């Protein structure tokens, strides 16, 4: 849900681009910035199609969508309804990714960031805006088809991710859309079940904590580059050292909530999850100075452990 700039807050979307080149100017909606067209040959149909596919942040979009699919199937939604939930999440993630690339195109080009098609001219910013709008338009009926309340929760998460792209990414509240998006994911899945049962509080709390951690881990490798581009989100204000020190806390918190939240004593599975998550949460930031993606890999490892716990314990109140 969103998925972000990198990992989308709705689980987001998530990362990265190259300098713009001379050529025609692509227009976007109000608040966006123009970006110059790409090099010769970039306008060919195949190049544009590939650029548009890459501009949606496919890695984070597929990761969040896969998580939603696993939660839906594990919760007993059945094949048809699980497919509907998955499609709703996917279209929401696509809209967030395209919105991010289009809105940040000129800023990314000025910063010399590589891998962002709307910034290096592989695809026009206008085309990315159009794709984001279409994906969002499709997301609305798909979400509401899962149930009015479930759909509203999911669409609120998608709206939070768009707000991150358009405003909150460069502020001290950059973490908020991630918390809202990841927390909404198990809630939307639970509310999609027959009868719309309330989600279990610990699943929502764990999702929110993982969202906070995802924002820290995903931003950590690019703090210096982001600062140069004028982005001053929470991790940028904390700095490299502060972000590294803070990151293990929400990761361990998410696993702890899942392990101790359900009634009764902590079982062997919960204890094992705490040990594994603790090792991954601490190792990722510790290795980050040698491998720039170590913190993100550690966060993904913890999320995998937590997903296993979620599938075992369920997302809805019994």
């Amino acid at each position: 849900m969103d998925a972000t700039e990198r990992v989308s807050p709705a689980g987001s979307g998530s990362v990265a681009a190259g300098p713009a080149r001379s050529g025609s100017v692509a227009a976007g909606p109000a608040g966006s910035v123009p970006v110059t067209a790409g090099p010769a040959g970039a306008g060919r149909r195949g190049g544009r199609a590939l650029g548009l596919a890459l501009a949606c942040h496919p890695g984070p979009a597929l990761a969040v969508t896969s998580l939603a699919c696993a939660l839906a199937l594990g919760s007993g939604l059945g094949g048809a309804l699980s497919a509907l939930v998955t499609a709703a999440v996917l279209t929401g993630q696509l809209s967030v990714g395209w919105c991010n690339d289009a809105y940040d195109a000129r800023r990314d080009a000025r910063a010399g960031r590589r891998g962002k098609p709307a910034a290096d001219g592989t695809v026009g910013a206008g085309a990315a805006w159009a794709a984001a709008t279409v994906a969002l338009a499709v997301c609305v009926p798909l979400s509401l088809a899962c149930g009015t309340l479930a759909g509203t929760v999911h669409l609120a998460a998608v709206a939070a991710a768009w707000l991150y792209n358009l405003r909150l990414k460069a502020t001290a509240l950059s973490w908020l859309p991630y918390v809202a998006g990841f927390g909404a994911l198990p809630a939307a899945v639970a509310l999609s079940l027959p009868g719309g049962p309330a989600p279990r509080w610990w699943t929502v709390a764990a999702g929110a904590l993982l969202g906070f951690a995802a924002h820290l881990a995903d931003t950590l490798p690019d703090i210096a580059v982001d600062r140069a581009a004028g982005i001053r989100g929470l991790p940028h204000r904390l700095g490299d050292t502060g972000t590294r020190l803070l990151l293990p806390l929400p990761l361990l918190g998410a696993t702890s909530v899942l392990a101790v939240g359900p009634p009764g004593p902590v079982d062997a599975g919960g204890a094992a999850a705490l040990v594994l998550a603790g090792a991954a949460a601490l190792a990722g930031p510790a290795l980050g100075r040698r491998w720039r993606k170590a913190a993100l890999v550690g966060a993904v490892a913890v999320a995998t452990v937590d997903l296993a716990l979620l599938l075992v314990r369920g997302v809805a109140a019994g």
Side-chain angles (χ1 to χ4, degrees):
M1 302 225 167
D2 208 310
T4 113
E5 152 179 52
R6 302 171 181 81
V7 171
S8 313
S12 169
S14 233
V15 160
R21 297 168 174 84
S22 60
S24 60
V25 175
S32 68
V33 288
V35 62
T36 52
R44 289 177 295 186
R45 183 172 300 176
R48 289 200 302 269
L50 177 60
L52 196 60
L54 295 176
C56 76
H57 299 227
L62 290 175
V64 175
T65 302
S66 297
L67 174 60
C69 182
L71 286 175
L73 291 172
S75 300
L77 279 179
L81 194 49
S82 293
L84 184 61
V85 169
T86 301
V89 173
L90 176 60
T91 52
Q93 287 293 300
L94 291 175
S95 79
V96 173
W98 278 318
C99 167
N100 179 271
D101 246 36
Y103 188 78
D104 284 349
R106 187 166 183 179
R107 177 165 56 188
D108 289 334
R110 284 199 306 264
R113 303 188 71 170
R114 298 185 179 278
K116 291 233 179 179
D120 66 20
T122 304
V123 65
W129 276 120
T133 302
V134 170
L136 183 62
V138 174
C139 177
V140 173
L142 287 176
S143 298
L144 294 177
C146 299
T148 302
L149 188 53
T152 300
V153 169
H154 178 237
L155 291 174
V158 174
W162 274 66
L163 183 60
Y164 170 86
N165 287 340
L166 303 179
R167 173 60 183 161
L168 295 183
K169 177 166 60 178
T171 74
L173 294 177
S174 60
W175 55 272
L176 187 57
Y178 279 81
V179 169
F182 278 75
L185 190 57
V189 170
L191 292 168
S192 298
L193 289 164
R200 289 170 168 154
W201 70 265
W202 56 84
T203 65
V204 176
L209 287 166
L210 283 175
F212 187 73
H215 179 41
L216 298 178
D218 195 42
T219 306
L220 182 57
D222 300 307
I223 285 179
V225 176
D226 286 345
R227 278 177 168 173
I231 299 174
R232 294 284 295 174
L234 178 63
H236 312 96
R237 295 164 191 254
L238 293 173
D240 185 89
T241 300
T243 302
R244 287 181 194 280
L245 292 175
L246 179 59
L247 178 57
L249 298 182
L251 288 173
L252 290 172
T255 307
S256 298
V257 166
L258 289 173
V260 306
V266 178
D267 57 20
L274 283 171
V275 172
L276 292 173
L282 296 172
L287 297 174
R289 294 190 182 278
R290 297 188 178 184
W291 180 26
R292 64 190 300 268
K293 290 294 185 180
L296 182 58
V297 171
V300 170
V302 175
T304 302
V305 172
D306 291 345
L307 175 60
L309 281 178
L310 272 172
L311 293 178
V312 169
R313 287 162 168 73
V315 297

